[in-house]
Amino acid sequence: METVTIKIENCNNIVNANIKLEKESLNIKFGYNGTGKTTIGKAIMVKASDESQLSQFLPYAQEGQEEAVPRVDDVPFQKVRVFNEEYSDRYLFRQDSIFEDSYKVLLRSKECEDLANEISDLLYGLQNTSIEDTSMGEVLEMLNEYVTLVKYANGNITRRGGVGEFLKGNGAGFDKYDELKVYRPFYEGKSLTDVTSWATWRTKGIERMGNEEICPFCADKLNTIEIQKKNNTIKKVFKSSALKTAGQIIEYIRNGIEKGYIAKQSEKKLEGYIGDSSKSDELEAELGKLAAETEYLLKKLQRIQGFRPMNVTQNQLDHIDESLRQMQIEMDQLTQYYDTTAIRQVADAINTKVCELMDNTGKLRGLFKQYDKKMEVLIDNRKEDINYFFTLAGFPYEFEIRKDGENKASTFLTPVGNNSKSITKPNSHLSWGERNAFSLVMFMFDAVSDDADLIVLDDPISSFDVNKKFAIIKRLFDNKEVSFRGKTVLMLTHDLQPVIDYVHGGFFKQYHIPVKADYIENEKGIIREKSIEDTDLLNIVNLTEQLTKDPSQPLHVRIINYRKYIELT
């Protein structure tokens, strides 16, 4: 096995350490609390991920070390994952779900990804149709922006909030008010942001004047009746919610026209209604027409983008010809706002691709079914795997995982024998030991999914009983597709039991997993390692027998050990 030596200097209570690791092996570092084991694991991880963060390991104050700089050198690993007491708090038991990213951790599969890519190749022309080199995703985002803005639903736009105020004639159309024409230099040709800023400044200035009849700038006598009339109009027209909505709608239309998605006459059509309270019905009708066309086009593009193996329902699969026809765009539905050359081009491209796919429905259906079947098998395998671990560890729970849309999955626990009732708050429901044992196994899936090339286990099992230790370690290094077998693993522990079990006891010999154990000590900041060999470890029977027969030992020592030996045997 290849051996690497990682150098650590001036990190917390470590002045100097040369940590030797055998690649593709389990490396156990046994040492007492306070040795610096946690610092070793974290410092290596930080060096691999973000060296600038090494400053967090500033050395403890020692004579002559005030200006020492933390250093970690000769780390040949690119992805280092660390399991410690912080792991479950950061990644597990998020709200009602167990894992923050269950799909990535548990359901990533090369076979499924290969099938998904093959399907994507078939759908490429359909899902990547572009408008003047703009991706469909950006067009979708634009369309959704308008539907969200006017809160379009059930054929109607909202009449509440900023949209409602805009429909009343507020927020634009400043030149429609004779009393405001004198202020034309402040709003004509200006952005809505500048106009709003000016109107706010003016209104606050009048409020500060109170009942004064003298202008605070020129000291001329003011026509208070005329000023009040202007103020009332400005307060109505310059309502912030209406201004914001007006700006967003106008910007949406202008942006669409500029990119060729929206017909050029659209802006002029709306201009005649904006800011005129007497044309509220007409303005609402026009905004509704724009919303209806927007929603129609949006639904078509969303249906196309959502037609992926992880999102296709059984009904869509059974009626795949109908599903494809539902993606075709009929330009008769886009007669006003989106009747442009660019939109017609994308509609023609989509409709052509849909027709091509309808000639290949057999192949497409077959690929979708293969993907679905492999995903079902993968989910069943993951559930069986984790639930077997639960049985070994004596946990009274069953693990469930369900695919939940594109690259998403939900995970939860149910009590044994009651699959209909999920545990709603696993973080508070599970005992400390159950939570940490489960966290360790989930970490295994997470680290393997992340393709970590160094896995650090910081005192992972010292607090568990013998049965749980066995169940956990067996699963972590079992002969399965997802395990730490073949990985470089660094186990830092103050518990001698793993050394006894995995070095002396030969726990891993049956799995042909190489194990290297070292005793580490910290003497005034200097870390020293001493290899632990099988011959360094004796069970109590052999030890008492040896001491009894050793003539170099004092007589009373031999007698005491002889008595103990007799008791044991």
Side-chain angles (χ1 to χ4, degrees):
M1 293 294 174
E2 180 186 353
T3 300
V4 299
T5 301
I6 297 174
K7 299 177 181 178
I8 300 174
E9 295 179 354
N10 305 318
C11 291
N12 290 343
N13 66 334
I14 298 175
V15 176
N16 182 273
N18 292 304
I19 305 301
K20 290 183 172 59
L21 298 177
E22 287 190 356
K23 285 191 172 183
E24 300 179 9
S25 303
L26 170 59
N27 297 268
I28 302 174
K29 305 294 182 182
F30 165 70
Y32 298 116
N33 286 335
T35 303
K37 299 187 298 298
T38 296
T39 297
I40 290 171
K42 285 186 176 180
I44 293 173
M45 179 189 69
V46 170
K47 171 67 177 181
S49 59
D50 184 3
E51 187 174 1
S52 65
Q53 297 299 312
L54 280 175
S55 57
Q56 67 183 281
F57 300 106
L58 282 173
Y60 299 161
Q62 294 184 31
E63 186 177 350
Q65 281 194 297
E66 290 78 2
E67 299 181 3
V69 177
R71 286 177 58 95
V72 180
D73 294 315
D74 301 333
V75 176
F77 307 104
Q78 302 300 315
K79 288 186 179 180
V80 180
R81 294 301 303 270
V82 176
F83 178 83
N84 53 29
E85 58 187 12
E86 301 170 7
Y87 180 78
S88 61
D89 293 333
R90 290 180 58 190
Y91 298 104
L92 294 183
F93 311 115
R94 315 297 285 188
Q95 298 177 351
D96 289 345
S97 186
I98 292 174
F99 212 92
E100 189 174 38
D101 193 349
S102 299
Y103 187 94
K104 171 183 173 292
V105 173
L106 297 172
L107 296 183
R108 278 184 61 184
S109 158
K110 187 177 185 307
E111 284 187 326
C112 289
E113 287 178 357
D114 288 345
L115 278 170
N117 290 335
E118 191 172 350
I119 293 171
S120 294
D121 288 342
L122 272 178
L123 300 176
Y124 178 80
L126 179 64
Q127 295 180 332
N128 292 274
T129 305
S130 62
I131 304 175
E132 295 181 353
D133 298 323
T134 301
S135 71
M136 187 182 291
E138 291 177 316
V139 179
L140 276 164
E141 185 178 348
M142 186 198 82
L143 296 171
N144 195 57
E145 178 186 329
Y146 183 73
V147 173
T148 303
L149 173 62
V150 298
K151 297 179 176 60
Y152 187 73
N154 301 320
N156 297 300
I157 62 175
T158 185
R159 291 194 65 89
R160 298 193 300 271
V163 178
E165 291 294 335
F166 180 54
L167 290 175
K168 292 176 185 177
N170 302 327
F174 314 117
D175 56 351
K176 298 183 187 298
Y177 298 88
D178 290 337
E179 60 269 31
L180 296 186
K181 288 182 179 178
V182 67
Y183 299 118
R184 183 170 288 164
F186 298 104
Y187 64 74
E188 194 171 59
K190 306 284 186 179
S191 70
L192 282 169
T193 302
D194 291 340
V195 175
T196 305
S197 178
W198 168 79
T200 303
W201 169 82
R202 186 189 183 286
T203 302
K204 287 183 177 178
I206 294 297
E207 290 173 352
R208 276 186 169 276
M209 288 177 60
N211 296 322
E212 294 289 339
E213 297 182 357
I214 302 297
C215 176
F217 297 102
C218 63
D220 289 342
K221 187 175 177 62
L222 294 173
N223 184 337
T224 53
I225 296 175
E226 184 66 25
I227 289 291
Q228 191 60 47
K229 182 180 178 182
K230 292 176 181 177
N231 290 345
N232 290 338
T233 303
I234 287 174
K235 283 182 179 179
K236 180 179 75 169
V237 176
F238 291 93
K239 283 193 174 181
S240 59
S241 61
L243 276 169
K244 181 179 179 182
T245 300
Q248 289 173 327
I249 290 174
I250 292 170
E251 183 181 358
Y252 177 85
I253 292 172
R254 288 176 179 171
N255 183 48
I257 291 172
E258 181 182 340
K259 293 185 176 181
Y261 310 151
I262 295 178
K264 292 181 179 179
Q265 66 271 20
S266 301
E267 186 175 6
K268 289 184 179 179
K269 186 181 296 184
L270 287 173
E271 272 181 356
Y273 304 136
I274 290 176
D276 188 345
S277 58
S278 67
K279 295 295 183 180
S280 175
D281 292 339
E282 286 78 4
L283 178 60
E284 183 176 5
E286 286 301 324
L287 294 180
K289 290 175 186 176
L290 174 56
E293 289 192 15
T294 302
E295 186 186 49
Y296 172 79
L297 188 56
L298 178 64
K299 283 183 175 179
K300 292 294 183 180
L301 299 185
Q302 284 177 334
R303 189 171 282 126
I304 291 168
Q305 288 294 85
F307 197 63
R308 301 172 185 271
M310 58 286 293
N311 294 333
V312 172
T313 65
Q314 188 61 46
N315 183 62
Q316 284 178 307
L317 194 58
D318 292 340
H319 303 88
I320 196 166
D321 291 335
E322 182 181 341
S323 298
L324 288 169
R325 283 196 297 273
Q326 287 176 347
M327 299 176 196
Q328 292 178 316
I329 298 174
E330 295 185 13
M331 287 303 298
D332 289 346
Q333 301 296 323
L334 305 172
T335 57
Q336 295 187 48
Y337 289 95
Y338 295 100
D339 187 10
T340 67
T341 300
I343 295 296
R344 283 186 177 276
Q345 287 176 346
V346 78
D348 289 344
I350 286 173
N351 294 341
T352 298
K353 187 61 181 179
V354 166
C355 289
E356 291 176 4
L357 288 172
M358 289 173 68
D359 292 335
N360 287 283
T361 53
K363 181 178 180 180
L364 195 57
R365 184 184 287 111
L367 288 173
F368 272 115
K369 285 186 175 180
Q370 284 183 58
Y371 176 89
D372 197 41
K373 183 64 177 176
K374 287 188 181 298
M375 185 58 67
E376 284 180 10
V377 171
L378 182 59
I379 289 173
D380 288 342
N381 288 344
R382 290 290 180 266
K383 286 168 55 177
E384 182 181 350
D385 185 357
I386 294 172
N387 284 323
Y388 177 64
F389 162 73
F390 279 11
T391 301
L392 279 181
F395 290 171
Y397 308 107
E398 291 184 355
F399 176 81
E400 288 287 336
I401 180 169
R402 292 176 185 166
K403 187 162 64 72
D404 187 20
E406 184 174 359
N407 296 336
K408 292 182 180 179
S410 57
T411 52
F412 53 94
L413 299 177
T414 60
V416 171
N418 189 358
N419 291 335
S420 62
K421 181 181 180 181
S422 62
I423 295 173
T424 56
K425 294 182 179 179
N427 196 29
S428 58
H429 195 92
L430 303 180
S431 70
W432 183 92
E434 290 168 341
R435 190 167 63 248
N436 282 274
F438 185 54
S439 298
L440 189 51
V441 173
M442 289 298 100
F443 170 79
M444 176 198 67
F445 283 103
D446 191 9
V448 173
S449 170
D450 203 30
D451 198 24
D453 50 2
L454 175 63
I455 294 152
V456 180
L457 306 176
D458 188 359
D459 239 341
I461 59 171
S462 58
S463 57
F464 298 123
D465 61 37
V466 174
N467 289 337
K468 285 188 175 59
K469 284 181 182 180
F470 172 82
I472 293 168
I473 294 299
K474 183 178 186 303
R475 181 59 195 89
L476 293 184
F477 293 92
D478 214 342
N479 189 19
K480 292 181 180 291
E481 179 184 351
V482 180
S483 77
F484 291 156
R485 173 185 289 271
K487 296 283 187 179
T488 306
V489 180
L490 170 59
M491 180 188 290
L492 302 158
T493 182
H494 69 273
D495 182 7
L496 189 59
Q497 195 65 46
V499 180
I500 296 171
D501 289 341
Y502 313 146
V503 178
H504 179 72
F507 182 88
F508 284 126
K509 286 181 180 177
Q510 58 184 315
Y511 301 116
H512 305 290
I513 295 174
V515 180
K516 178 71 171 66
D518 293 296
Y519 169 67
I520 62 173
E521 60 181 356
N522 187 326
E523 185 176 345
K524 295 182 179 180
I526 307 300
I527 296 288
R528 292 187 175 86
E529 293 187 340
K530 182 178 180 181
S531 178
I532 302 174
E533 307 297 339
D534 183 17
T535 54
D536 295 328
L537 301 165
L538 293 174
N539 65 44
I540 191 65
V541 175
N542 292 335
L543 178 61
T544 54
E545 183 181 19
Q546 276 191 16
L547 289 171
T548 299
K549 295 178 178 180
D550 185 356
S552 67
Q553 296 292 334
L555 183 59
H556 66 277
V557 172
R558 295 175 66 187
I559 292 172
I560 291 170
N561 279 279
Y562 184 43
R563 177 177 176 175
K564 187 65 177 176
Y565 173 74
I566 292 172
E567 288 176 356
L568 291 169
T569 59

